[in-house]
Amino acid sequence: MTDMTDTCNGRTDAAVRLDGVTFSYGEASMAFDLTVEAGSITAIMGPSGSGKSTLLNLVAGFETPKSGRVLIDDRDVTHEPPAARPISMVFQENNLFAHLDVAQNVGLGRSPALRLTPSDRTAVSEALVRTGLGGKEHRLPRELSGGERQRVALARVLVRDRPVLLLDEPFASLGPALREDMLGLVADLHAERRMTVLFVTHQPEDARRIGRTMVFLEDGKITATGEMSKFFGKHGPEAFRRYIGSVAGSLQSQGIARKRT
């Protein structure tokens, strides 16, 4: 693939730091102190409403802290808009434009106005091949499967070539086999680009599959961080063990319900 260097000191990764960040949403108050090592893959887990997506949105610039600083590669980006930050983000809804074909949706990562140079078009083509979408350049999103739509979103990440990748449960609606494929693709892209990845998931096995470190949230606060093995060992944080126990119980109940229907 064409080498597309990043604007963040010419590197392909960058550390992320939330320094005394506070945020309020209605009656919910959140406080985050966190350092994410450059080039790492960090899973973010916690109960619904614990602040996982808010944490990503603060890094991305979609939310502004009440106090504290957001730093990327030691640069204070607290008041910079999302477009000015060296990040890419993939949402569960994949944010594709229904009236644009696959190549155009990916090309937006290079130019929001789709004024693409020949090198841009080459980068788009190579990204589509890399993500298994070669030959589908002119299809519309409605003509793609759920997994293919998420591949389009990842191809757009490739052409943006930013050092930080944020994933907000982008594979939650996919079945186990497709989710496994997408996680494998993220792991491969990380191995190639060494970007810093933060991903929100409700699936413990997804965290173990590609994560190196874990951040666990409860009630708008980070209650545990560390290597993945620490969390899944027999002496893992009690709050995390309670959480995965409740997740496993929920999945088991859903399975029983499906069998009865």
Side-chain angles (χ1 to χ4, degrees), residues 18 29 32 92 139 151 157 233 235 246:
L18 301 181
S29 296
F32 303 123
Q92 186 172 341
R139 293 193 183 184
R151 287 177 181 271
V157 166
H235 300 299
S246 67

Side-chain angles (χ1 to χ4, degrees), residues 88-202:
S88 292
M89 190 165 183
V90 179
F91 303 88
Q92 186 172 341
E93 299 81 11
N94 58 62
N95 277 23
L96 302 185
F97 289 90
H99 66 289
L100 299 180
D101 65 22
V102 165
Q104 290 170 321
N105 268 289
V106 174
L108 291 171
R110 280 298 183 98
S111 169
L114 286 177
R115 297 191 182 96
L116 303 180
T117 66
S119 64
D120 289 335
R121 296 184 186 281
T122 297
V124 168
S125 295
E126 291 177 346
L128 291 175
V129 170
R130 178 66 190 83
T131 52
L133 292 168
K136 298 182 179 180
E137 293 86 346
H138 301 300
R139 293 193 183 184
L140 294 172
R142 66 172 180 270
E143 299 172 315
L144 303 175
S145 68
E148 287 171 334
R149 287 193 292 272
Q150 292 296 17
R151 287 177 181 271
V152 175
L154 289 175
R156 190 160 59 198
V157 166
L158 282 178
V159 300
R160 283 174 59 79
D161 200 31
R162 302 295 176 89
V164 178
L165 172 59
L166 309 177
L167 302 170
D168 193 1
E169 296 194 82
F171 314 134
S173 62
L174 303 181
L178 272 179
R179 197 170 71 244
E180 178 69 15
D181 286 347
M182 292 298 99
L183 289 168
L185 180 55
V186 169
D188 290 346
L189 298 180
H190 174 262
E192 291 177 11
R193 299 297 181 89
R194 305 305 302 176
M195 73 272 275
T196 305
V197 180
L198 287 83
F199 75 103
V200 168
T201 180
H202 281 287

Side-chain angles (χ1 to χ4, degrees), residues 10 12 58 66 85 90 115 169 173 179 184 187 205 248 253 255:
T12 57
L58 287 163
K66 182 178 178 181
R85 301 189 186 198
V90 179
R115 297 191 182 96
E169 296 194 82
S173 62
R179 197 170 71 244
E205 289 308 311
S253 297

